[in-house]
Amino acid sequence: MKKELVIKNEIAELERLAAFVDEVAEELSLDMETTMNLNLALEEVVSNVILYAYPKKMGENITIMASSDSNTLVFTITDKGEEFDPTKVEDADITLNAEEREIGGLGIFIVKNIMNEVTYQRLEGKNILTLKKNI
């Protein structure tokens, strides 16, 4: 299975992303819990691209590729925004209560815990984030 979605860097596009993830999950006959977790992880990553990769530009493309073999589902998120490697963000300290915890980092922590592998590379002026989930 291989599917692609291209969206603009606008929050309203998250609805199209959710429909895309649901479509992929349905095609692979994934259970509801896995589907909800995938939606959470993808929404977190893509909303960060929308909000931070293009601080002064609207209408920029974000490409989400989904592919799978019999054991692994892979989402690849590509954008031409500002360089940012979320894998280098220190994990949030979840032992602290919300008032003591520093702002930021919780989203990528959640993504790392949902997905089996999260990798980043910067190639030819593009951010390429790859999320792998064993299915």
Side-chain angles (χ1 to χ4, degrees), residues 92-102:
D93 185 350
I94 59 169
T95 63
L96 299 174
N97 64 41
E99 293 82 29
E100 296 173 321
R101 196 176 318 133
E102 290 200 27

Side-chain angles (χ1 to χ4, degrees), residues 11-131:
I11 290 294
E13 293 277 67
L14 292 175
E15 287 181 36
R16 290 183 57 217
L17 174 67
F20 177 75
V21 173
D22 287 346
E23 182 181 313
V24 167
E26 186 174 323
E27 188 169 318
L28 297 173
S29 301
L30 301 179
D31 62 60
M32 183 61 73
E33 181 180 358
T34 301
T35 302
M36 289 173 53
N37 283 334
L38 290 171
N39 261 308
L40 177 61
L42 271 290
E43 182 177 317
E44 176 60 34
V45 168
V46 174
S47 64
N48 281 338
V49 173
I50 290 169
L51 295 170
Y52 304 115
Y54 303 101
K56 295 184 170 102
K57 290 185 191 173
M58 294 305 291
E60 298 294 325
N61 286 343
I62 302 166
T63 303
I64 301 97
M65 291 284 304
S67 61
S68 70
D69 59 24
S70 59
N71 302 321
T72 308
L73 172 59
V74 179
F75 287 98
T76 305
I77 300 92
T78 306
D79 68 83
K80 293 182 181 177
E82 292 185 10
E83 185 173 351
F84 178 70
D85 182 351
T87 66
K88 291 186 177 174
V89 173
E90 226 175 277
D91 284 345
D93 185 350
I94 59 169
T95 63
L96 299 174
N97 64 41
E99 293 82 29
E100 296 173 321
R101 196 176 318 133
E102 290 200 27
I103 294 174
L106 191 57
I108 192 65
F109 175 80
I110 291 169
V111 171
K112 287 177 183 177
N113 280 282
I114 289 172
M115 306 307 286
N116 295 98
E117 186 179 332
V118 178
T119 59
Y120 170 86
Q121 56 185 332
R122 179 79 176 185
L123 290 174
E124 300 174 359
K126 295 178 185 174
N127 294 303
I128 303 168
L129 186 67
T130 303
L131 310 175

Side-chain angles (χ1 to χ4, degrees), residues 1-14:
M1 184 272 313
K2 198 169 230 176
K3 293 185 176 298
E4 177 181 274
L5 173 68
V6 179
I7 62 173
K8 298 296 181 189
N9 63 323
E10 301 167 10
I11 290 294
E13 293 277 67
L14 292 175

